[in-house]
Amino acid sequence: MALLDSLPRHLFSTRGWGLLAAGVFSLLCAQIMGRRDLLVLGVLLVLLPLISLAGIRVVKPRFRVYREFSPSTVETSSITTVRLAVARTGAGVGRVIMEERLPPRFGESPAFRFPARSASGGTSRYEYHLRSGKRGQFTIGPVTAEFTDPFGLSLHRHSIDDGDTLTVTPAAVDLPATGLAGARGNDGITATRTRANPSDDDVMTREYRHGDPMRRVHWPATARHGALMVRQEESVTTPEATIVLDQRFISFATGFGSVFGSDDGEDLVTSDTFEWAVTAAMSVSAHLAERNYSLRFLDAAGDPAFHRSQSAPEPDAEEYSGAGGLQSVAESLAAIQLSGPHHMRREHDTARREHAGGSDSGMSVFDDRLMGKLAAHRMRGPVVAVLGKISLAEARALAPAAGYAANAFAVVIADRPAECHDALEALRLGGWRAVAVEPATSLPAAWTYFDEGDAALSTAAADVRRGAGVAR
């Protein structure tokens, strides 16, 4: 038995190897004893496993696999249920052992027998659960099947489907309420009225229309105009927020050991600091969406933030609103990764580029393209910048953008936040509320800084936003 266990398992079963061994033994005995009956028996015992092996490889059984994830996209550290339905579409086969191939992070691949004991209508159904502690897109499957012939002599394993993609989105962290809305109020809602004339009465009234209730008639305006006038209904505008998400490799990779990928062959170029930034972007989006904000996502160059994300449903989209928009943001963040030149920051290069007033990333960032996007939605809501470690020159280039926002907030994520002091001061002088944090910092704690900052800083920021224009 020990000898049989050491033989290859992908060709013959234990029974098949046993028949082959018996056949060879019979042939040897026939040769020694000169017995024709042993010769016939030996040939039969050898040929039967070989014929079974050839048959199961030529005539491959056919199956159809249906795979469903519930929920279809799952947050990190949450559980999704995988439901499999396997149906045979070809000729019947013997016993089949199937296995669902999984990326290593999900643990041991589940195995099951086909047909299942509870099979109905020729379809067998199976169910198992998955959990991932990291975001990304992962190929679940394919289902591999190990087939045997009707006599159980030979084995053959091959894939019967292509697998499906599971999207794992970053989980949002609950953030405390802050004074994000500026002039719109903490609930993010502002009321506007249709302005026809400078008169206050004209601002609030319009001509009577058939069906208007009489209780809304504005009698002073009616007397002045000589016609029935009714009070104008207030309309509620949707507040807007812009999130600038820095994705540059140079901003989030400060050392050769800080950038990593997944262990599943489906790598994301990311780092601890960038993962903090992604979680922050997701959390801020959820926080604002709950307060009825519509969202705009831009990168440091002013392009759509998700145009490089492999998981983005609409890579070129910038604006998102409602529950559907928030779900699109979550899916887009699932596979977002660092971009730009994959080289490390050099101190002398940084100093040289800062002296020249440029960016050390080799990219055009925080320039007129981004400013133009912000100017198009001037003063319609807050701007939140989630940044990696930026140079002083980059901070000075971004600082005037605060003049386009009702409120401007910047979070700088760096391994050594103390090194960002000069950049933070440049942002604050431009009107930003800015804070530098390390990846171990609690996101809610960093968020509350924006309401706990120096009152004088807030006054200075308001003075900048009330300025007549933005200096470049």
Side-chain angles (χ1 to χ4, degrees):
M1 290 302 296
L3 177 62
L4 290 177
D5 292 338
S6 66
L7 294 173
R9 297 286 301 171
H10 62 280
L11 295 176
F12 300 104
S13 64
T14 301
R15 182 183 301 172
W17 285 114
L19 285 183
L20 282 174
V24 171
F25 180 75
S26 297
L27 291 176
L28 290 176
C29 291
Q31 179 69 23
I32 295 172
M33 302 173 62
R35 297 286 300 269
R36 182 179 295 273
D37 53 346
L38 288 177
L39 176 65
V40 173
L41 177 61
V43 171
L44 178 63
L45 292 177
V46 170
L47 285 180
L48 189 58
L50 295 178
I51 293 174
S52 299
L53 180 64
I56 201 171
R57 279 162 170 72
V58 173
V59 183
K60 294 182 179 180
R62 296 181 180 180
F63 292 85
R64 184 172 297 160
V65 178
Y66 303 90
R67 184 181 290 99
E68 179 186 45
F69 303 115
S70 179
S72 56
T73 60
V74 61
E75 293 183 346
T76 53
S77 300
S78 296
I79 294 175
T80 186
T81 300
V82 184
R83 297 185 177 92
L84 279 175
V86 182
R88 182 186 288 116
T89 59
V93 295
R95 177 175 56 92
V96 180
I97 298 176
M98 296 186 175
E99 182 180 85
E100 174 88 294
R101 288 186 179 176
L102 299 179
R105 73 167 61 252
F106 293 104
E108 186 177 356
S109 299
F112 43 90
R113 295 177 179 272
F114 181 90
R117 293 181 179 179
S118 58
S120 60
T123 301
S124 296
R125 291 175 172 82
Y126 313 90
E127 183 177 297
Y128 64 95
H129 305 285
L130 293 178
R131 183 203 303 265
S132 175
K134 293 183 179 180
R135 65 182 179 89
Q137 286 190 306
F138 307 98
T139 300
I140 305 302
V143 172
T144 60
E146 184 178 82
F147 303 102
T148 65
D149 63 278
F151 300 103
L153 302 179
S154 60
L155 302 172
H156 180 54
R157 178 181 293 273
H158 70 86
S159 300
I160 61 175
D161 78 316
D162 297 326
D164 291 293
T165 300
L166 173 65
T167 300
V168 181
T169 65
V173 176
D174 290 334
L175 300 178
T178 59
L180 278 172
R184 295 178 179 272
N186 287 331
D187 61 353
I189 297 176
T190 183
T192 61
R193 297 179 178 89
T194 304
R195 297 181 178 267
N197 296 299
S199 166
D200 289 340
D201 287 339
D202 291 335
V203 168
M204 299 179 62
T205 61
R206 60 171 173 80
E207 292 183 357
Y208 175 84
R209 298 170 186 166
H210 179 71
D212 286 335
M214 292 302 295
R215 67 176 179 274
R216 287 179 50 204
V217 173
H218 192 278
W219 296 111
T222 296
R224 186 172 63 246
H225 288 276
L228 281 176
M229 304 293 292
V230 296
R231 289 187 298 273
Q232 176 68 287
E233 291 182 338
E234 293 183 342
S235 61
V236 176
T237 61
T238 300
E240 299 178 2
T242 300
I243 299 174
V244 179
L245 179 59
D246 192 0
Q247 306 163 39
R248 296 171 297 153
F249 184 95
I250 200 69
S251 298
F252 291 93
T254 56
F256 284 100
S258 63
V259 176
F260 57 86
S262 73
D263 55 1
D264 304 325
E266 302 175 43
D267 292 341
L268 291 178
V269 182
T270 184
S271 66
D272 290 333
T273 51
F274 188 60
E275 289 304 304
W276 199 101
V278 170
T279 301
M282 184 70 249
S283 302
V284 171
S285 299
H287 182 79
L288 294 173
E290 289 175 357
R291 288 154 179 79
N292 301 315
Y293 279 82
S294 62
L295 306 173
R296 283 202 311 156
F297 264 88
L298 302 173
D299 65 11
D303 294 320
F306 305 130
H307 70 290
R308 295 188 186 92
S309 174
Q310 296 180 357
S311 60
E314 298 178 85
D316 295 326
E318 292 181 359
E319 300 183 4
Y320 304 88
S321 61
L326 183 62
Q327 180 62 29
S328 294
V329 169
E331 291 182 21
S332 300
L333 288 170
I336 198 169
Q337 57 185 333
L338 296 173
S339 60
H342 287 202
H343 57 79
M344 299 300 140
R345 191 186 304 265
R346 298 287 189 265
E347 292 184 2
H348 67 277
D349 288 344
T350 302
R352 175 174 57 80
R353 289 183 176 123
E354 287 186 0
H355 179 73
S359 168
D360 64 353
S361 68
M363 302 169 60
S364 297
V365 295
F366 310 133
D367 60 4
D368 290 340
R369 180 175 176 80
L370 176 62
M371 298 303 167
K373 292 287 186 71
L374 298 177
H377 294 251
R378 183 188 182 102
M379 304 302 290
R380 295 186 186 178
V383 172
V384 181
V386 183
L387 310 171
K389 185 178 180 181
I390 62 174
S391 66
L392 179 58
E394 292 168 345
R396 288 171 176 168
L398 178 61
Y404 295 122
N407 275 311
F409 306 86
V411 182
V412 179
I413 307 98
D415 291 327
R416 293 180 290 275
E419 297 178 358
C420 302
H421 178 268
D422 292 342
L424 292 181
E425 287 302 313
L427 290 173
R428 289 166 182 164
L429 288 174
W432 290 83
R433 299 181 190 181
V435 60
V437 299
E438 58 185 357
T441 303
S442 164
L443 181 54
W447 190 245
T448 56
Y449 168 85
F450 295 131
D451 271 352
E452 297 172 355
D454 192 348
L457 175 62
S458 298
T459 302
D463 290 340
V464 171
R465 287 191 293 273
R466 285 196 294 268
V470 176
R472 290 293 300 150

